[in-house]
Amino acid sequence: METAEHSIVVQAPLAAAHQQWQTWVAQKVGPAQAPSGQTVTAPVPEELPPEMGEPEQGRIFFAAVDDHSTRVTMQLRYSPAAVQAAGLVPDYVSRRIGLYLQRFREFAES
């Protein structure tokens, strides 16, 4: 297993960004713990792309940048063999989580 990581800054305070994440994934993983302190972690929903044979596993971290913005970092463990067997480019997982976080930022800031 390897780990891909990507971060993005969301223009929302820590508690609001975390609440938006809960809303974003509520149907996939259920509620995560409420924020406490400067950093919060929550599970990442397991998603199975149709072309891959095993689920990815990951975590997401929320850290306050300032009073009005939050750094959201996603780490995703995956099987390079499954990526290769599916005929996908080596940076597929990294690009995918980057796009996922961009969609989350659009949702959280709307």
Side-chain angles (χ1 to χ4, degrees), residues 68-82:
H68 306 289
S69 57
T70 302
R71 178 171 308 282
V72 180
T73 302
M74 182 182 286
Q75 293 177 340
L76 205 57
R77 292 187 63 206
Y78 67 97
S79 167

Side-chain angles (χ1 to χ4, degrees), residues 3-72:
T3 301
E5 181 176 303
H6 191 82
S7 294
I8 200 163
V9 174
V10 174
Q11 298 304 310
L14 176 64
H18 186 260
Q19 179 60 44
Q20 290 291 66
W21 177 259
Q22 289 177 311
T23 302
W24 178 254
V25 298
Q27 296 161 346
K28 296 180 183 179
V29 295
Q33 296 178 340
S36 61
Q38 292 296 310
T39 303
V40 176
T41 63
V44 171
E46 286 188 0
E47 292 186 7
L48 199 59
E51 65 274 6
M52 295 178 69
E54 42 186 280
E56 299 161 340
Q57 299 174 355
R59 295 186 303 174
I60 190 156
F61 301 90
F62 299 83
V65 174
D66 56 34
D67 290 345
H68 306 289
S69 57
T70 302
R71 178 171 308 282
V72 180

